[in-house]
Amino acid sequence: MNEPTPHTERPRLDNLTLSRKEGFRQLAQAPRRIQPDALTPANLTALSTTARAGYDRQRRDWHANLGPIKTPQLSALQEDLWDIVDSNAQDGDKPKGAIAVDAFPGLGKTTAVLHFARKFHLQEIIEEGEFTQAGHERWPVCRVGLTSNTGMKDFNRAILEFFAHPARFRGTSAQFLQRALDCVLDCETKVLIIDDLHFLKWSDRNGREVSNHFKYIANEFPVTLIFIGVELASRGLYCEMDGAGDVTLAQTARRTTPLSMEPFAVNDKRRRREWRNLMLWLEKRIVLAEKFPGMLADELSDYFYARTTGHIGSLMTLINRGCQRAIRTGAERLEEELLNSVKIDAASEKARKQLEASLRARRWTSKTKALPAVRAGQG
């Protein structure tokens, strides 16, 4: 038999960092992964030891990097992102509207924004070229990821780190900010993504400092700000303290559009159909020798929903780890017994018992044909 063809044309991205411009470009411009060939159990057994090791390596990499998936949630968020970014083509003297993508962890908000940013980067390079008229490298997108207790100076320096500015090691917060503005202007950056904004210091006087800092960036930087975080409203993104110490609606709130993403639900036919479509998408892309039609969409649909409570991040983790174990153990298929031995995040495991109890009582189903026992108003 012909052994599976190794796919070596894609650059290795496992050592990539999005905190540097070269890493972001590598992600944005990397060709699409090629799905490994599907082999029958007999063909798999017939592989030589070397060929089998290479094939399993391809499958490990493939399953670890499934997606992003064009779910209804991702599509809706990206349509809103395009609307806002495209409408921010005003001249530089006009402030641009900002975006706050605020959702609980595990719902794919960062994945969705980065997928949008990749498409925006490629579109700008195609339309405007890799270099500006002044001869500088064009970087349509700058992405900054925050860490625990990041302050304003750290934030400004992180922008300089992205652009690899030579003066990023010494200076005041104000000097870093002015250098960051120079980078944005020289590289004609149009989108500034600030990930994990909830890590920024918000308490006490820092809250007002943060609010004023973002107002300055929105006014002076010709970019669309995209904030990504958890519970940003309650942390004070949209509010500031007035002179009397009372919370007032900040200018940031007037210029920032909040967007969100929701977990999958199965409480009506449309939502159950969306979940089934997701199962079918994943089923087509799983590369296991014992895979069969309906393995996910029919046999494991309720199981996956109960294990992950409809959170796409938890689901992708369970699929990935399940496939890795199925390959390593020789099971070559996904089934409940194998998946029960796979550990995922604590939040999903905590909610699992209640959902499984409801499933056993036939109070719900994720399948498109509702169970007879599902009461009116629940299906």
Side-chain angles (χ1 to χ4, degrees):
M1 59 161 288
N2 293 327
E3 295 187 342
T5 303
H7 306 303
T8 59
E9 65 274 9
R10 181 183 172 89
R12 292 176 62 87
L13 300 181
D14 53 343
N15 198 32
L16 171 149
T17 174
L18 298 181
S19 64
R20 308 280 173 82
K21 54 186 174 61
E22 291 84 4
F24 185 86
R25 178 172 59 188
Q26 189 176 359
L27 175 70
Q29 298 182 353
R32 294 172 63 90
R33 279 186 170 84
I34 300 175
Q35 183 169 339
D37 300 330
L39 300 183
T40 66
N43 289 339
L44 194 63
T45 303
L47 291 178
S48 66
T49 302
T50 301
R52 176 63 182 268
Y55 180 62
D56 287 349
R57 177 62 181 266
Q58 290 178 29
R59 294 196 292 170
R60 288 199 303 271
D61 180 71
W62 172 256
H63 291 132
N65 294 281
L66 290 174
I69 306 171
K70 194 174 181 180
T71 63
Q73 294 92 329
L74 180 142
S75 297
L77 176 65
Q78 291 191 351
E79 283 299 314
D80 290 332
L81 290 173
W82 281 115
D83 286 344
I84 298 168
V85 172
D86 284 348
S87 68
N88 276 347
Q90 305 103 320
D91 293 336
D93 61 323
K94 300 179 180 65
K96 302 180 186 299
I99 302 164
V101 182
D102 190 348
F104 287 113
L107 295 177
K109 56 186 181 296
T110 296
T111 298
V113 172
L114 289 178
H115 186 240
F116 162 82
R118 176 187 177 186
K119 292 189 289 186
F120 182 79
H121 171 94
L122 295 174
Q123 175 181 287
E124 287 292 305
I125 296 300
I126 291 173
E127 293 178 354
E128 303 290 343
E130 294 186 3
F131 296 90
T132 68
Q133 288 186 350
H136 300 291
E137 289 181 321
R138 185 183 305 281
W139 295 101
V141 176
C142 172
R143 180 262 178 195
V144 175
L146 304 187
T147 60
S148 178
N149 294 323
T150 301
M152 285 296 96
K153 185 175 182 179
D154 301 317
F155 171 75
N156 296 337
R157 181 162 48 202
I159 299 177
L160 297 182
E161 283 284 354
F162 180 88
F163 289 105
H165 194 286
R168 63 190 182 277
F169 301 110
R170 292 185 180 181
T172 65
S173 179
Q175 288 172 333
F176 284 164
L177 185 60
Q178 291 304 312
R179 293 166 190 165
L181 176 58
D182 290 339
C183 289
V184 166
L185 293 175
D186 289 343
C187 300
E188 298 187 5
T189 303
K190 295 183 179 179
V191 171
L192 173 57
I193 298 172
I194 304 171
D195 202 358
D196 290 325
L197 184 63
H198 48 276
F199 283 148
L200 207 59
K201 294 179 180 177
W202 295 92
S203 60
D204 302 328
R205 64 183 181 85
N206 287 312
R208 190 181 188 95
E209 179 186 354
V210 169
S211 178
N212 289 335
H213 192 72
F214 288 139
K215 281 191 293 185
Y216 177 85
I217 291 178
N219 288 334
E220 302 299 328
F221 283 47
V223 298
T224 299
L225 283 167
I226 301 181
F227 304 112
I228 308 175
V230 179
E231 297 183 337
L232 298 181
S234 63
R235 295 178 188 274
L237 176 63
Y238 308 124
C239 299
E240 64 181 8
M241 304 296 292
D242 61 17
D246 297 324
V247 176
T248 59
L249 189 66
Q251 177 178 301
T252 304
R254 293 293 182 184
R255 293 180 178 172
T256 304
T257 302
L259 303 177
S260 187
M261 296 184 77
E262 299 296 329
F264 281 86
V266 293
N267 58 336
D268 60 40
K269 291 181 179 179
R270 178 181 63 82
R271 292 182 174 88
R272 287 194 291 270
R273 191 179 306 112
E274 291 173 351
W275 180 256
R276 179 174 177 80
N277 288 339
L278 175 60
M279 293 291 101
L280 292 171
W281 188 96
L282 289 167
E283 194 174 289
K284 289 180 180 178
R285 285 157 180 81
I286 287 175
V287 185
L288 297 173
E290 296 281 0
K291 182 182 75 173
F292 58 90
M295 182 177 71
L296 269 59
D298 296 328
E299 299 294 324
L300 294 170
S301 178
D302 285 349
Y303 176 87
F304 277 125
Y305 192 84
R307 281 290 306 266
T308 66
T309 59
H311 285 64
I312 187 71
S314 302
L315 174 66
M316 298 306 292
T317 298
L318 183 56
I319 291 286
N320 176 20
R321 294 178 183 175
C323 288
Q324 306 298 351
R325 181 164 293 205
I327 293 171
R328 192 172 59 253
T329 62
E332 290 293 335
R333 70 163 64 189
L334 297 182
E335 52 190 3
E336 284 193 33
E337 182 178 357
L338 179 143
L339 291 167
N340 280 334
S341 64
V342 174
K343 307 298 189 297
I344 58 172
D345 60 278
S348 294
E349 297 293 9
K350 183 178 180 180
R352 176 184 180 183
K353 292 183 179 179
Q354 182 179 355
L355 269 177
E356 286 183 332
S358 298
L359 178 60
R360 286 193 296 270
R362 297 174 68 83
R363 295 193 183 102
W364 65 272
T365 180
S366 67
K367 298 177 181 179
T368 52
K369 184 177 181 180
L371 293 172
V374 176
R375 294 176 294 177
Q378 293 184 315

